[in-house]
Amino acid sequence: MSAPRTRFGAAASGISWAVFAAIGLRIPGPAFAQHEVIGAGDVLKIEVFGEADLSGTFSVREDGKVKINWVEPIAVAGKNVESAQEEIRRYLDEKYVINPKVSVSIAEYKSRTVSMMGEVTKPGLYRLETNSTLLSVLLEAGGPTGRAADEIVVLRPKDASSQDYDTRSASLQRLLSRASPEDNLSLLAGDIVYISSAGDTKGRESAETVYVLGAVKNSGSFAYRKGYTALDAVIDAGGVTKYASPNGTKIFRGRGEKRETISIRLGDVMTKGDRSKNVELKAGDYVIVPQRFL
């Protein structure tokens, strides 16, 4: 990949990133609606009215459960606030308190991250703040490289199981020039944003690269080679994490109207040795391993 740049010449028209930062972070983006879910590390404020010893702030553990003082851990990861509140109320009603009145809110969202991948200066995970938009997070990631294509793709899990994704596209040039506010999408936790390579003048991918994202130990880009498979790429990424759901793995290939989504039961390939379910990759592919909630 080429050396990162801090300007995108054609689209930015010479305007510096500092100027974009000054004007872009205040632009509210249009909603790309979905309820955000609670994740490990988040801090919940739980109030059980009339029960001071069951009220306070509590962190969601790595196993997806919250421990409220002396109460047995309750599973809340993968639920939105309303569902978590009802789960806690039901659990307390069954075992501890008759007809409890429970209020749950988010005190701190530590699981709120978005992945910025592809042709950005500093790819990786970024914490989301209130009203984070595509432009604000792109700026935090150092902006696009000089080899960035115009199309930006946002992948969003359709539900808490993260087994399937909605996709939305935006134009990098319109985003940077503010020509179309609709391109400045509002981002939510779990979103994956990627900008592919523009390719050279002959239309080939200029970077012989594949990207591995999601519940792997080392998300990032990896050199493509002939015969390179989805399993090879995941192994190069350090393997899956203990919270991965490899049978929900997706491969995103191509751009625009030519984009296709390939589903692969990578877990069967890994645990059962079923190589027939492996998929040979092409340069520019994105392999996404979803996370499961316990």
Side-chain angles (χ1 to χ4, degrees), residues 48-49 51 54 88-94 96-102:
V48 183
F49 297 99
E51 303 288 343
L54 295 178
I88 293 170
R89 188 207 65 77
R90 181 193 62 77
Y91 193 85
L92 294 178
D93 187 37
E94 287 182 355
Y96 299 101
V97 181
I98 298 175
N99 193 25
K101 290 181 170 52
V102 179

Side-chain angles (χ1 to χ4, degrees), residues 35 56 79 88-89 100 138 155 176 186 199 206 222 257 281 293:
H35 296 296
K79 303 178 185 295
I88 293 170
R89 188 207 65 77
L138 177 59
L155 306 176
L176 298 182
S186 294
S206 60
F222 301 89
E257 295 181 356
L281 301 177
F293 289 98

Side-chain angles (χ1 to χ4, degrees), residues 81 188 205 208 279:
V81 171
L188 295 181
E205 287 289 334
E208 294 293 297
V279 173

Side-chain angles (χ1 to χ4, degrees), residues 147 197-207:
R147 301 176 76 164
S197 171
D200 63 15
T201 57
K202 296 181 181 179
R204 297 190 299 265
E205 287 289 334
S206 60

Side-chain angles (χ1 to χ4, degrees), residues 4-294:
R5 300 182 184 178
T6 56
R7 296 171 184 253
F8 186 77
S13 301
I15 303 176
S16 72
W17 285 116
V19 174
F20 279 122
I23 61 178
L25 296 180
R26 297 196 296 267
I27 304 171
F32 185 14
Q34 176 183 309
H35 296 296
E36 292 182 282
V37 298
I38 296 168
D42 290 341
V43 179
L44 305 183
K45 181 179 180 182
I46 301 173
E47 293 185 58
V48 183
F49 297 99
E51 303 288 343
D53 57 339
L54 295 178
S55 301
T57 55
F58 308 93
S59 295
V60 180
R61 307 185 317 189
E62 284 299 315
D63 63 359
K65 297 180 180 180
V66 63
K67 181 77 168 62
I68 306 173
N69 294 333
W70 43 266
V71 174
E72 294 178 12
I74 304 171
V76 294
K79 303 178 185 295
N80 60 28
V81 171
E82 182 179 340
S83 297
Q85 180 173 288
E86 174 57 24
E87 178 65 17
I88 293 170
R89 188 207 65 77
R90 181 193 62 77
Y91 193 85
L92 294 178
D93 187 37
E94 287 182 355
K95 297 192 174 186
Y96 299 101
V97 181
I98 298 175
N99 193 25
K101 290 181 170 52
V102 179
S103 173
V104 175
S105 60
I106 303 294
E108 188 175 358
Y109 255 129
K110 292 187 177 180
S111 69
R112 285 171 52 95
T113 59
V114 60
S115 299
M116 294 292 296
M117 302 302 297
E119 294 292 345
V120 294
T121 302
K122 297 180 292 184
L125 289 174
Y126 288 86
R127 280 281 302 275
L128 292 183
E129 305 299 336
T130 303
N131 297 324
S132 286
T133 65
L134 180 56
L135 181 57
S136 68
V137 180
L138 177 59
L139 292 171
E140 188 177 356
T145 71
R147 301 176 76 164
D150 182 60
E151 185 188 39
I152 305 172
V153 176
V154 179
L155 306 176
R156 174 163 298 168
K158 287 185 176 180
D159 51 47
S161 67
S162 302
Q163 295 297 301
D164 204 0
Y165 296 85
D166 288 319
T167 63
R168 181 80 176 269
S169 296
S171 164
L172 180 61
Q173 293 194 32
R174 290 198 304 265
L175 177 68
L176 298 182
S177 64
R178 295 194 299 158
S180 173
E182 289 75 19
D183 285 281
N184 193 23
L185 306 172
S186 294
L187 297 181
L188 295 181
D191 285 352
I192 298 171
V193 180
Y194 72 86
I195 305 176
S196 58
S197 171
D200 63 15
T201 57
K202 296 181 181 179
R204 297 190 299 265
E205 287 289 334
S206 60
E208 294 293 297
T209 301
V210 299
Y211 302 90
V212 185
L213 315 174
V216 294
K217 294 179 181 177
N218 299 295
S219 292
S221 59
F222 301 89
Y224 171 79
R225 58 185 182 271
K226 185 176 181 180
Y228 199 49
T229 67
L231 180 59
D232 293 331
V234 169
I235 291 173
D236 285 350
V240 300
T241 69
K242 62 181 179 179
Y243 298 119
S245 180
N247 276 344
T249 298
K250 307 288 184 184
I251 299 170
F252 290 87
R253 176 172 294 167
R255 298 193 292 270
E257 295 181 356
K258 295 182 179 180
R259 183 184 301 113
E260 61 177 316
T261 303
I262 302 168
S263 298
I264 173 174
R265 294 184 63 83
L266 192 62
D268 290 348
V269 178
M270 297 166 61
T271 61
K272 299 179 181 179
D274 190 351
R275 300 284 174 165
S276 67
K277 294 183 178 179
N278 204 358
V279 173
E280 187 170 328
L281 301 177
K282 294 183 179 180
D285 281 355
Y286 284 76
V287 179
I288 300 174
V289 181
Q291 177 174 309
R292 60 184 170 87
F293 289 98
L294 301 178

